[in-house]
Amino acid sequence: MNLNDMKPGERANVRELRSIGNMRRRLLDIGLIENTEIECLGRSPGGDPAAFLIRGAVIAIRSEDCADIIVNSEGCAARKASQEGGLAWA
């Protein structure tokens, strides 16, 4: 699953960063490292770019760059539910 697969309101953790060169450096600079939690906040009307909450900052990322950010949503639902005082059902 990559960032393009996320829908608004969903949370996931970074599993792998496949970007190279300057874009990889920029993503690392904003804190996109393994296990960083990301929340999809929404997409522009045209669908590109999408807005994500990353380490307390709202970051817009283009679709072509989202494809290189591999995420894992396992564990995020349980953590979100525990923070809200409820149970997570998978």
Side-chain angles (χ1 to χ4, degrees):
M1 174 175 171
N2 63 42
L3 286 189
N4 284 326
D5 299 323
M6 293 180 66
K7 295 180 180 25
E10 288 184 338
R11 292 182 183 185
N13 290 324
V14 174
R15 190 175 76 200
E16 181 182 354
L17 193 57
R18 295 184 178 166
S19 301
I20 59 173
N22 288 334
M23 181 50 65
R24 181 179 182 84
R25 187 171 358 105
R26 288 183 188 132
L27 294 172
L28 291 171
D29 286 347
I30 63 170
L32 267 181
I33 58 173
E34 189 174 350
N35 292 323
T36 299
E37 186 173 295
I38 298 176
E39 181 179 354
C40 180
L41 298 179
R43 300 195 179 276
S44 68
D48 195 23
F52 297 93
L53 184 63
I54 302 170
R55 297 185 181 270
V58 177
I59 307 291
I61 303 175
R62 296 176 299 186
S63 181
E64 70 180 78
D65 298 319
C66 286
D68 293 329
I69 303 169
I70 309 304
V71 295
N72 185 356
S73 61
E74 293 177 20
C76 286
R79 184 171 46 255
K80 182 178 178 183
S82 69
Q83 289 171 352
E84 295 172 354
L87 295 173
W89 300 94

